[in-house]
Amino acid sequence: MSDHLHVTRLPIAYDPDLGAEARALVGGLNPETEQLIAGAAGSSPYLRRLIEQEAEWIGPALAEPRQALASVFEDCKTLPPDQLKPGLRRAKRRVALLTALCDLCGSWSLEEVTTALTHFGELSADVAIKAEIAALIRRQKLPGLTEADVETAGGLSILAMGKMGAYELNYSSDIDLICLFDETRFDPDVFFEARQGMARATRNMCATLSDRTSDGYVFRTDLRLRPDPAVTPACIAMETAERYYESLGRTWERAAYIKARPCAGDLEAGEAFLKTLRPFVWRRHLDFAAIQDAHDMRLRIRENKGTGGPITVPGHDMKLGRGGIREIEFFTQTRQLIAGGRDEGLRLRGTVEGLAALAQRDWIPSEIATQLSDHYRAHREVEHRIQMVHDAQTHQMPNSGEGIARVACLMGEDPAELQAKIHRRLVEVHNMTEDFFAPDAAAPPKADIPEGFDESIIGRWPSYPALRSERGAQIFQRLKPELLSRLARTAKPAESLLALDGFLAGLPAGVQLFSLFEANPHLMDLLVDIVGTSHALAGFLSRNSGVFDAVIGGSFFEDWPGGDVLRQELEAVLALEEDYETQLDTARRWCKEWHFRIGVHHLRGLLDAKVAATQYSELAEAVIQALLPRVIAQFSIKHGSPPGTGPMVIAMGSLGAGQINAQSDLDIIVVYDPQDVETSQGRKPLATRSYYARLTQALITALSAPMSQGRLYEVDMRLRPSGNKGPVATSWPAFTHYQENEAWVWEHLALTRARGVAGVPSLLQDFERFRRSVLGRETKKEGVLREVAQMRDRLASAKTPTGIWDAKTGAGRMMDIELLSQAGALLTKSAQRDVASGLDQAVAAGWLDAADAVVLQDSYALYWSVQTAARLLSSGVLDQEALGEGGAQFLSRSADYGNLAELEQALKTAYQTCAAIISRSIQRETGHDDLG
């Protein structure tokens, strides 16, 4: 970057004579810099005074302004303690003068100006606090610390807040700081003495910067953003601050920490503290309740500062007034708070950068981001000119004609044209930002109850938990008219009302969800659709309303990404969390959102049962694949790394075949290869068998234990060798020996659907080769089919169908067809896992008629459609009487039938036909007269 003054504009001297006097004091100027000096000094008494004080320095500095600024900073770093106050004040004069002139002539952009001011602010704070810490250490007022600790300020970290945190410091700004110290640097016995010393150092630092002397001041410092400033010392322990934010932190404090960063003292400790606050600042859900909080803050500012009046330029507060800087900042920060917990790309400190990120991620239109960024920069430049006149910490346009003229002269503009331009920008900002926030408190619109609605149902809503809080009730009252209107437009309004009532009754809290609906009214249509169709999904929503966040993300209705992308996304999400328990909860929340997505897509007919089954399966596999390494890592902390090559997870049953439904358990087994290693190597080593048994239990717990976000999946391991009597984890030698020498026919049938889904790649490859070799062995057709017949008999005795809608259990139903298909795969040495392939193999082997195979395949597809839809509609036995019109239509549509009566008849016919085909096929080959 070239270091010369590039003049693109020049100020006009309000008082030409004063400007000429100042110009005469500075030597070595060219015509442009002479006009710059004259224009600045002739319009700003403050800049004229600085030019007089630094006349010898400013001329050469303007020749190479960036180098001059760097030299000022270097001089500050080497100031001796007794010269700190005058030295920093001299530096402040030079920084203020140089940045003002580079700003006025357009050589430096707004961002360069504010960055230069911010760098000086953090440098001043750093040298001042380290000088104070060094003095206290010399006087032994910080027990246990030595001179070596001065470089990190003894663990004291200064957080830059507000504009300083975002490198947006304005020209005459005070600096908002929070001072914290790392209490772990001190022995608990001397904590209070250390705290007293740190508070004293902080107060002295503030005096060094803020005290007005004959040389002026450096920065006004403001420490009031710290926790509970009325009763806490100037510097508090990080642990104390963390506890405060966890228990008492408010939305405005969350917004303040968007811009926070360590700027002086112990930077590493400051970063670590901010990392602990991430869950406080960035909520995991989409926090639309922040909109009302921000709006309330705006109203309080307007009331306290008297800035709520009409937009008139004279006397208008460019920061806090309508259409001002704070409106743009609130607009940006509130949207960042809403979505930043889910999208790290929105966690930016700068206002302009934040607007760009919001536009890039489709949270705001790009043209809004561009216009607000342009207005923000323009407002900030006006603000700087206002402050340059007298170095006053003010943001108000002058009321007098002379005052406005001075500001206009510094901007090189006509006063009338400047006022018109400012007024236009203020109005545009106000119009773009005002509608985003919640409306001013007013009486909620009266909700007319549509004809046919049971008023007693609506009347009991205020008693529900979600509506007991005053705020939740207020938001719902605003939603109620539109919600009832949408219910009235459904096919069965009274039925939909009853379903919504059940949803509201089960909702534990309402503020966040109701705020979400208020900001995104289209979600009410989705809610009405769900509660009117699926009681199970509606109940799930009551317990997990946070999954609605996924709908807002923009990709909810895009194409399915596939298992690999899902795994990578979950791994990336988990990598953000360090705590194991938090990782498990995060996995649950993430999985629920994707699970919900599949259900909604199925419910709305965007995918059929077969595709839904595949997606449910890929989701489960992604969860297992992402969690297994973390379970191992956590377990290894105590017991060491897995002995041998490590474990693998084998999916059995429907998961192995890649087809599960919304409520499927996960049938898995765990196999490991010890490679003759007898024990693990860790703090508490375990024998290899015990190691893998306990590791497997840890995996089961990770998947199925109820936590704050619920559970992931129920796990079923009964298909492992020797069933429930065998160990939960099986060694590779024991597994292969068992399958080759001891396994029952039914276990080889189960092996036709087995599939390795997670674990050591080489072991997964070994398993697949072994599976194919076992399935490739010669088997006797009659023996296998006789065993199948006996299994059918046992199943018929042990399990009876719960009704016509139980498409899974019973003769001629899903399990029956799956069993026959597995026999077809086993007898033909096929490695294929799907039902259709197994039936085709049975036809190829000559013991199943081709026409019968088609009937079985079509029937199985019908059953799967019914079963998948039924599991989405109900968590238990499907009750046709309680199904409702929406549920009945969904069930019929899923199976491609016009109504339930037609579907019911089709199922009866299919059950009988399939049962007869299976019995006939087996009997023809074995002579077995089974019970099917």
Side-chain angles (χ1 to χ4, degrees), residues 839-840 842-844 846-857 924:
L839 294 175
D840 287 340
V843 172
W847 56 269
L848 179 65
D849 291 339
D852 288 344
V854 172
V855 172
L856 293 176
Q857 289 170 354
R924 184 169 58 234

Side-chain angles (χ1 to χ4, degrees), residues 175-179 202 205-206 221-226 229 234:
I175 53 177
D176 294 310
L177 307 175
I178 292 180
C179 297
T202 300
M205 173 203 69
C206 291
T221 57
D222 190 339
L223 303 179
R224 291 175 296 173
L225 289 181
R226 72 183 185 275

